[in-house]
C-alpha cells in the first residue's frame, strides 16, 4: 500500500527484473498490439494525411504540403472555430452555474441520499446519447410541451421558435455533459475539510463570506476539472448541432465530419482534427498540472497527490 | 455554512432539467395519436410497431454482436495490460500509452480508423466496428483494473509464493480473484460504452450493417415518429436496470 503504483511487486534483484521483462510480454503484448494498430497508427495516419494534398476526386495524393494548415486561417473556417469556442464556453459556464449548487447540495445529504442523488445524476448519462438529444427535439418543437405550457400560461400567443437555433444547441450540450461537471465538483467539495468552514463561521464570517472565501477557493481544482470535462467534448460534438441545431450551427466537429464524408477532402479534415485534438490535449494537460499543484498544499502532499491520482482515474471513466 | 435554501432550489431544478426530457419521451410513447404532441389516450401500439420493425431488430442484433465481442476482447486484453503495466514496467510511458485512447476525441479515432481501414482495403462491416470498439474499451478496462491493483495487498502473493505456488497458479488463484470486482466493473463499462457508442461506429460501420445508435440517428434525422418514443422508453428501462444492477454489484459510483 505504501509503495508507488508503478513499482514492481517486490524489491527485486537485477536478474529478476530482466526475467520479469520477458515474463511481461504475454501481459503487455496484446494490449500494446491493439492500441498500436487501432489507435496509435490511425492517429499517425491522420497526422500524415494532414501534410499531403487532396486528390482531385477525393482521396489523398502523397505530395507534401502545408496548405491544409494555411487554409485553417481562412476567415470562413476561423469563423467556425470562433463559433465553436463561443458555444463550448457558454455550455461550460452554464454547466458550472447549474452544477455547482447541485454538487454542493449533494455533499450535504445523508450518505444514503447522497448515493441516490449521485446515481440520479449519472442515470441520464448512461442512457443513449441520441435518445436524450431526441427528447430535446420533442421539448423544443413549436408544438412541444414548452411552447404549449408558455401558451397555456399566456406568456406568449404565438409559439416561440426554439428548435434549430444556437441556443438550442447550447441547451442540448449542457444537458448532455452536465454530469461531467457535477461529478468532479462533488468529489472536490466532499473532500473539503468541514472544520475550515466552521472555523470561519466561529470567527464571525457570514455564510456567504464562508462560501466565497473558503468553499469556492478550495474547490478550484474541481471547478477546473469539471470545466475541462465539459468543454472538451462540447468542442468536438457534431451530432447535437446537426439534430437540435438543424445543421445551421456549424461547429468544428461538423466541419471535420463533412470533410471526410461529403467534401471528401481528407487532408484538410485531418489537419482540422489534428489541431482540435492537440488543443484539447494541451487543455487537459494544463488542467491536470494545475489541479495537482493546487491540491498538493504544504503538509498534505501525500494525501493531495493520491487524491489527484484518484481524480485522473475517475476522469478516464467519466470521459466516456 | 451557506443557507441551504439558496442551494436547495437550484438542486431540485437540476433534477427537473435532467428528468423532464426523459419523462416526456416515456409519456408520449403511450400516446394513441400519430401527432406527437397531442395526447389522445393510452395505447401500446407503438411498442407493437417497434417489435415488428426489421431495421431496428437488425440494428439491435448488430449492436449486441459488437458489444459482446468487443467487451470480451477488451476485458481480457485490458486486464492483462493492467497487470503487465503494474508488474513489468517501470516508468509511466506504457501506462500513458495505454490510457491515451480514453482521452482522445472519438471523432479523431473514428476518422483515423476509417483512414486506416480504407488504406489497407479492409472492408467495413461488423468486424471493423467490433475491433474499433475493443480498441478504445481496452483503455477503460485497463484504467479500472489498474486502480484496483494499486489497492491490493502484495503480501498475499508473497505468501502464495512462499507456500510453493508457481507464478501461474498464484496469478489464477490469488491475484485474479482479488481483481474480480475491478474486472467486472471494467467489463460492464466496456459493454455500456459499446452499446451507446455512435461516433466511431458512424465512421467504421458499413451502410448495410448499422448498429442501433446509427439506426436511431437516421430515424431522428429523417423524421420523428412516435415509434422512437417506444424505443427510447425500452432503452431507458434497460439502462436503469443496468445501472442499478451495476451499483449493486460493484458500487461503481465509489470508483468515480
Amino acid at each position: 500500500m505504501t509503495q508507488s503504483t508503478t513499482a514492481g511487486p517486490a524489491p527485486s534483484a537485477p536478474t529478476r527484473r530482466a526475467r520479469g521483462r520477458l515474463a511481461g510480454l504475454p501481459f503487455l503484448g496484446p494490449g500494446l498490439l491493439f492500441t498500436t494498430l487501432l489507435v496509435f497508427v490511425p492517429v499517425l495516419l491522420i497526422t500524415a494525411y494532414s501534410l499531403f494534398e487532396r486528390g482531385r476526386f477525393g482521396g489523398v495524393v502523397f505530395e507534401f504540403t502545408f496548405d491544409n494548415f494555411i487554409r485553417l486561417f481562412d476567415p470562413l473556417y476561423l469563423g467556425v472555430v470562433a463559433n465553436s469556442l463561443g458555444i463550448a464556453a457558454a455550455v461550460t459556464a452554464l454547466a458550472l452555474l447549474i452544477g455547482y449548487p447541485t454538487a454542493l447540495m449533494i455533499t450535504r445529504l445523508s450518505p444514503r441520499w447522497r448515493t441516490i442523488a449521485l446515481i440520479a445524476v449519472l442515470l441520464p448519462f448512461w442512457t443513449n446519447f441520441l435518445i436524450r438529444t431526441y427528447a430535446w427535439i420533442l421539448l423544443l418543437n413549436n408544438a412541444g410541451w414548452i411552447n404549449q405550457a408558455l401558451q397555456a400560461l399566456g406568456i406568449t400567443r404565438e409559439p416561440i421558435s426554439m428548435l434549430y437555433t444556437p441556443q438550442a444547441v447550447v441547451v442540448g450540450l449542457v444537458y448532455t455533459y452536465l454530469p461531467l461537471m457535477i461529478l468532479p465538483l462533488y468529489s472536490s467539495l466532499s473532500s473539503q475539510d468541514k472544520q475550515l468552514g466552521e472555523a470561519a463561521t466561529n470567527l464571525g464570517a457570514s455564510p456567504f463570506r464562508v462560501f466565497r472565501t473558503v468553499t469556492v477557493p478550495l474547490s478550484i481544482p474541481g471547478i477546473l476539472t469539471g470545466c475541462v470535462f465539459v468543454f472538451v467534448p462540447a468542442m468536438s460534438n457534431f451530432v447535437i448541432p446537426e439534430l437540435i441545431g438543424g445543421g445551421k450551427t456549424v461547429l468544428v466537429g461538423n466541419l471535420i465530419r463533412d470533410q471526410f464524408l461529403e467534401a471528401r477532402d481528407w487532408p484538410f479534415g485531418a489537419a482540422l482534427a489534428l489541431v482540435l485534438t492537440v488543443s484539447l490535449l494541451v487543455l487537459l494537460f494544463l488542467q491536470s498540472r494545475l489541479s495537482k499543484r493546487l491540491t498538493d498544499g504544504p503538509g498534505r502532499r501525500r494525501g493531495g497527490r493520491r487524491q489527484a491520482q484518484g481524480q485522473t482515474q475517475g476522469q478516464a471513466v467519466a470521459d466516456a | 455554512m451557506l443557507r441551504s435554501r439558496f442551494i436547495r432550489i437550484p438542486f431540485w431544478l437540476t433534477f427537473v432539467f435532467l428528468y423532464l426530457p426523459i419523462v416526456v419521451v416515456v409519456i408520449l410513447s403511450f400516446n394513441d395519436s400519430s401527432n406527437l404532441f397531442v395526447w389522445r389516450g393510452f395505447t401500446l401500439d407503438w411498442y407493437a410497431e417497434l417489435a415488428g420493425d426489421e431495421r431496428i431488430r437488425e440494428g439491435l442484433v448488430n449492436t449486441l454482436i459488437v458489444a459482446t465481442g468487443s467487451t470480451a476482447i477488451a476485458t481480457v486484453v485490458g486486464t492483462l495490460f493492467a497487470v503487465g503495466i503494474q508488474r513489468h514496467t517501470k516508468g509511466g510511458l506504457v501506462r500513458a500509452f495505454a490510457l491515451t485512447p480514453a482521452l482522445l476525441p472519438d471523432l479523431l479515432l473514428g476518422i483515423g480508423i476509417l483512414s486506416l481501414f480504407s488504406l489497407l482495403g479492409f472492408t467495413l462491416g461488423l468486424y471493423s466496428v467490433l475491433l474499433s470498439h475493443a480498441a478504445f474499451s481496452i483503455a477503460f478496462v485497463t484504467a479500472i483494473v489498474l486502480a484496483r491493483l494499486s489497492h491490493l495487498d502484495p503480501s498475499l502473493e508473497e505468501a502464495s509464493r512462499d507456500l510453493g505456488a508457481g507464478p501461474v497458479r498464484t496469478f489464477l488463484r490469488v491475484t485474479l480473484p482479488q481483481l474480480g470486482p475491478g474486472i467486472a466493473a471494467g467489463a460492464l463499462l466496456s459493454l455500456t460504452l459499446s452499446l451507446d457508442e455512435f461516433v466511431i461506429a458512424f465512421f467504421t460501420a458499413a451502410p448495410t450493417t448499422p448498429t442501433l445508435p446509427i439506426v436511431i440517428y437516421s430515424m431522428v434525422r429523417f423524421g420523428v415518429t412516435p415509434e422512437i418514443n417506444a424505443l427510447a422508453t425500452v432503452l431507458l428501462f434497460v439502462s436503469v436496470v443496468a445501472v442499478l444492477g451495476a451499483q449493486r454489484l460493484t458500487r461503481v459510483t465509489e470508483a468515480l
Side-chain angles (χ1 to χ4, degrees):
Chain A
M1 288 295 281
T2 51
Q3 280 179 343
S4 89
T5 47
T6 42
S12 47
T15 45
R16 233 169 118 185
R17 164 71 66 192
R19 209 173 47 186
R21 272 280 157 78
L22 227 73
L25 206 63
F27 290 103
L28 296 168
L32 286 174
L33 192 73
F34 247 97
T35 311
T36 304
L37 278 183
L38 286 160
V39 178
F40 190 64
V41 171
V43 170
L44 274 186
L45 200 60
I46 289 292
T47 313
Y49 277 7
S50 72
L51 293 168
F52 290 127
E53 274 176 30
R54 75 176 285 200
R56 191 179 294 184
F57 307 104
V60 181
V61 175
F62 293 92
E63 260 178 71
F64 186 83
T65 175
F66 277 121
D67 282 359
N68 300 308
F69 290 97
I70 294 167
R71 240 175 104 192
L72 293 175
F73 293 97
D74 186 316
L76 181 69
Y77 303 121
L78 282 182
V80 174
V81 172
N83 202 16
S84 307
L85 284 171
I87 286 195
V91 168
T92 310
L94 267 174
L96 181 62
L97 208 66
I98 299 172
Y100 201 95
T102 310
L104 194 59
M105 183 69 198
I106 294 175
T107 62
R108 304 205 177 155
L109 298 171
S110 67
R112 185 187 155 78
W113 283 102
R114 203 179 301 165
T115 311
I116 292 172
L118 284 174
I119 295 176
V121 167
L122 269 175
L123 211 55
F125 196 65
W126 287 120
T127 61
N128 188 283
F129 156 70
L130 290 155
I131 295 286
R132 283 181 286 151
T133 306
Y134 158 78
W136 279 100
I137 298 181
L138 284 186
L139 272 173
L140 296 172
N141 198 288
N142 277 357
W145 283 21
I146 294 178
N147 264 315
Q148 282 184 25
L150 289 176
Q151 282 166 302
L153 292 170
I155 295 169
T156 169
R157 194 180 283 254
E158 294 294 311
I160 303 170
S161 308
M162 291 180 282
L163 203 57
Y164 308 138
T165 61
Q167 289 86 340
V169 174
V170 170
V171 171
L173 288 169
V174 170
Y175 184 74
T176 304
Y177 298 122
L178 186 59
L180 292 182
M181 179 65 86
I182 294 179
L183 291 175
L185 282 177
Y186 165 77
S187 86
S188 165
L189 286 166
S190 64
S191 62
Q192 253 177 44
D193 191 345
K194 275 200 180 129
Q195 289 180 341
L196 291 171
E198 281 161 21
T201 309
N202 290 340
L203 291 168
S206 67
F208 182 70
R209 187 141 179 217
V210 175
F211 175 73
R212 194 168 51 89
T213 57
V214 179
T215 314
V216 172
L218 283 174
S219 66
I220 284 174
I223 294 176
L224 284 174
T225 310
C227 286
V228 171
F229 282 6
V230 172
F231 188 85
V232 165
M235 268 307 276
S236 65
N237 191 304
F238 67 85
V239 180
I240 289 176
E242 182 173 318
L243 295 181
I244 302 187
K248 280 189 268 175
T249 310
V250 179
L251 303 187
V252 181
N254 302 79
L255 200 56
I256 297 170
R257 196 270 320 264
D258 290 346
Q259 296 308 313
F260 269 82
L261 298 186
E262 271 148 50
R264 316 269 311 142
D265 189 347
W266 287 23
F268 182 56
L272 272 168
L274 206 64
V275 171
L276 176 74
T277 306
V278 170
S279 341
L280 297 181
L281 287 180
V282 167
L283 212 60
L284 274 170
F285 176 75
L286 287 178
Q287 169 262 323
S288 79
R289 261 296 156 90
L290 212 60
S291 294
K292 213 170 267 181
R293 183 167 301 177
L294 288 169
T295 27
D296 279 5
R300 42 179 307 213
R301 258 192 110 75
R302 291 185 57 94
R305 184 154 296 157
R306 191 166 306 151
Q307 190 196 337
Q309 223 170 47
Q311 246 174 26
T312 37
Q313 264 143 10
Q315 185 180 121
V317 177
D319 199 42
Chain B
M1 283 276 154
L2 198 66
R3 287 261 69 84
S4 48
R5 89 187 115 91
F6 285 109
I7 55 173
R8 199 160 279 175
I9 294 164
F11 174 77
W12 286 112
L13 282 178
T14 302
F15 284 94
V16 171
F17 177 61
L18 283 175
Y19 284 91
L20 182 68
I22 292 172
V23 170
V24 171
V25 168
V26 173
I27 292 177
L28 290 180
S29 75
F30 300 110
N31 186 11
D32 188 11
S33 160
S34 56
N35 181 333
L36 271 164
F37 305 103
V38 186
W39 179 261
R40 290 239 330 252
F42 184 88
T43 183
L44 289 174
D45 286 359
W46 303 117
Y47 290 89
E49 195 162 312
L50 182 69
D53 192 317
E54 197 56 45
R55 261 190 321 165
I56 289 176
R57 194 182 310 155
E58 242 174 79
L60 183 65
V61 170
N62 288 340
T63 292
L64 289 175
I65 294 171
V66 166
T68 46
S70 63
T71 297
I73 295 174
T75 308
V76 175
V77 176
T79 303
L80 291 174
F81 212 2
V83 174
I85 286 170
Q86 208 223 14
R87 300 274 159 84
H88 304 286
T89 64
K90 262 185 291 183
L93 198 67
V94 180
R95 175 189 292 250
F97 181 75
L99 301 183
T100 305
L103 298 177
L104 293 174
D106 43 9
L107 182 57
L108 178 80
L109 288 178
I111 59 174
I113 297 173
L114 170 66
S115 305
L116 177 72
F117 285 161
S118 98
L119 189 72
L120 296 176
F122 191 90
T123 315
L124 297 183
L126 277 189
Y127 285 108
S128 51
V129 187
L130 196 155
L131 289 172
S132 324
H133 280 192
F136 80 85
S137 289
I138 289 170
F140 290 96
V141 176
T142 307
I144 293 184
V145 176
L146 267 175
R148 177 97 194 157
L149 270 167
S150 65
H151 291 292
L152 288 193
D153 185 353
S155 59
L156 283 171
E157 290 190 0
E158 280 163 31
S160 161
R161 275 194 295 268
D162 288 345
L163 291 167
V168 175
R169 195 153 169 203
T170 302
F171 180 72
L172 291 178
R173 308 279 298 260
V174 179
T175 316
L176 213 52
Q178 291 187 86
L179 289 178
I183 296 171
L188 211 78
L189 181 62
S190 156
L191 193 74
T192 340
L193 287 178
S194 176
L195 286 175
D196 260 8
E197 207 289 322
F198 170 71
V199 174
I200 294 172
F202 178 70
F203 286 102
T204 56
T208 47
T209 55
T211 60
L212 194 56
I214 296 175
V215 175
I216 297 172
Y217 172 75
S218 55
M219 282 172 86
V220 174
R221 206 170 161 215
F222 299 111
V224 171
T225 74
E227 197 189 337
I228 305 178
N229 293 326
L231 176 62
T233 306
V234 172
L235 291 178
L236 286 169
F237 180 75
V238 173
S239 308
V240 171
V241 171
V243 170
L244 295 181
Q247 169 65 16
R248 272 280 157 94
L249 273 172
T250 59
R251 306 206 162 262
V252 177
T253 50
E254 274 172 31
L256 290 165

